[in-house]
Amino acid sequence: MSALPLLHSVLVTQPVSQAAMARLGTFFSVELRTGEPVPGSEELVRWLQGKAGVIADTRYRFDASLIARLPELKAICNLDAAHHNLDLQVLTRAGIRATSLPLANSELRAPEASPLWGAPLPSAPVRQSAAA
């Protein structure tokens, strides 16, 4: 009898829909810390110890000193169009994937979350390039 594989642990700091939480729970062990004040770097390190991923926003700063203390962190999902809180060079060197969700400010911060996490994303307009 083989043991079930252990799920990676992720931290969710922003409200997301119930559908999104259910989906995340399928693949990850999820810790919720929504509605809490943004911690200082020492407390954030404690929150992220042993976590493979985090869903946060630009209030959470991920710089070299923080990343150096989080060897298990592999992914950051920034719920914001901006990414000034991410040191992308440091993340790249550490092998950490970083993503952002541009509509997060208006769509995902509502307590009931948004259709973005509970339904397919709307189709993006097709950009056409000029023919040479």
Side-chain angles (χ1 to χ4, degrees):
M1 178 179 203
S2 64
L4 293 174
L6 295 177
L7 298 177
H8 289 289
S9 182
V10 297
L11 174 67
V12 176
T13 66
Q14 300 301 304
V16 295
S17 71
Q18 288 180 352
M21 286 303 298
R23 182 86 171 143
L24 286 169
T26 301
F27 300 102
F28 304 102
S29 171
V30 180
E31 178 182 346
L32 270 176
R33 286 191 177 260
T34 60
E36 295 188 34
V38 176
S41 62
E42 293 300 316
E43 184 68 10
L44 186 55
V45 166
R46 283 191 285 279
W47 284 14
L48 291 170
Q49 285 297 312
K51 302 291 186 289
V54 59
I55 296 175
D57 64 21
T58 56
R59 297 174 302 151
Y60 294 82
R61 183 159 178 76
F62 296 93
D63 58 16
S65 63
L66 184 79
I67 296 303
R69 299 167 61 195
L70 300 169
E72 291 150 352
L73 190 64
K74 300 299 176 205
I76 299 169
C77 179
N78 218 23
L79 295 184
D80 212 327
H83 59 272
H84 61 273
N85 62 316
L86 305 175
D87 187 328
L88 296 176
Q89 290 181 348
V90 168
L91 296 177
T92 300
R93 282 194 301 270
I96 297 172
R97 293 178 185 241
T99 65
S100 65
L101 186 59
L103 298 177
N105 279 335
S106 62
E107 300 285 341
L108 285 179
R109 295 208 184 181
E112 295 302 315
S114 79
L116 288 180
W117 280 74
L121 289 171
S123 297
V126 176
R127 223 190 308 186
Q128 296 184 6
S129 60

